[in-house]
Amino acid sequence: MMNKYFLVLLSIVVFSCKSKQLKDLPAVVVYKVDEPIEDDGETVDNKSFLYYDITDKRGNGLKAVASKLVADEDFCYNAYSGLNGFTQLNYDHTKITKDSYLEIVYKGFSKEKIPFARLEKGKLQVIQLKRGDSIVTKEAYEKFYEEIRKCSW
């Protein structure tokens, strides 16, 4: 008896639902741009990359780690690690000086300051953060995180 009710209900649902078809499909419009589009950004011919994983001492990737590459006293670049600790930092190698360095800040760990000359360009490297004497507070991390947004690319 239960099967008959189920069959009746199923047939009502199936036959009462009709698929709606679009009779008049919208027209596809293709726009052609004859004039070049103005671009406010600079063309970057000297683009280079740093690739690195930021981990804790157990090798676990740390997410949302803030990195700042200080090229000179007036110019810097920023990057933030992804969910697995991977970071890609884009920079213009013509702006790098002998005093350039990479600064990495994350709450609960010591601040890392690595001279640019020690970094391997274009190769993936692992940077392990440590918990030392001076631990970065949550407030200091958030301040640094927001501050480096002003860095250029």
Side-chain angles (χ1 to χ4, degrees):
M1 186 73 165
M2 183 73 129
N3 288 339
K4 287 182 183 180
Y5 287 121
F6 181 71
L7 274 172
V8 171
L9 182 63
L10 182 64
S11 61
I12 290 172
V13 170
V14 169
F15 291 114
S16 66
C17 297
K18 295 180 181 177
S19 63
K20 296 181 181 179
Q21 295 180 348
L22 291 175
K23 293 181 180 178
D24 296 323
L25 295 174
V28 176
V29 179
V30 178
Y31 294 98
K32 183 177 178 184
V33 179
D34 293 328
E35 299 176 16
I37 299 172
E38 292 291 324
D39 185 4
D40 297 332
E42 296 178 1
T43 303
V44 182
D45 294 329
N46 302 315
K47 191 183 228 182
S48 297
F49 303 93
L50 287 176
Y51 305 103
Y52 48 96
D53 282 330
I54 302 175
T55 67
D56 60 11
K57 69 178 181 181
R58 293 185 210 134
N60 299 322
L62 300 172
K63 64 182 176 182
V65 178
S67 301
K68 175 171 88 170
L69 175 60
V70 178
D72 59 30
E73 58 191 45
D74 299 321
F75 213 80
C76 63
Y77 303 94
N78 65 12
Y80 303 95
S81 67
L83 295 176
N84 59 356
F86 178 75
T87 309
Q88 175 181 316
L89 192 143
N90 306 328
Y91 66 96
D92 180 352
H93 66 268
T94 62
K95 298 198 183 304
I96 299 298
T97 66
K98 65 179 177 62
D99 297 325
S100 297
Y101 61 92
L102 178 67
E103 189 172 7
I104 301 173
V105 174
Y106 192 59
K107 59 187 174 228
F109 291 87
S110 296
K111 184 186 294 189
E112 290 288 327
K113 197 172 184 179
I114 305 167
F116 186 79
R118 284 191 27 221
L119 298 169
E120 293 185 48
K121 292 73 174 172
K123 294 182 181 177
L124 180 64
Q125 50 203 322
V126 176
I127 299 173
Q128 188 180 78
L129 297 186
K130 297 174 181 71
R131 298 181 195 267
D133 295 334
S134 60
I135 301 293
V136 175
T137 64
K138 180 181 177 189
E139 293 78 23
Y141 162 72
E142 289 172 350
K143 181 180 178 193
F144 182 82
Y145 189 97
E146 291 300 322
E147 249 177 33
I148 66 173
R149 287 181 164 203
K150 298 174 188 165
C151 291
S152 302
W153 171 225

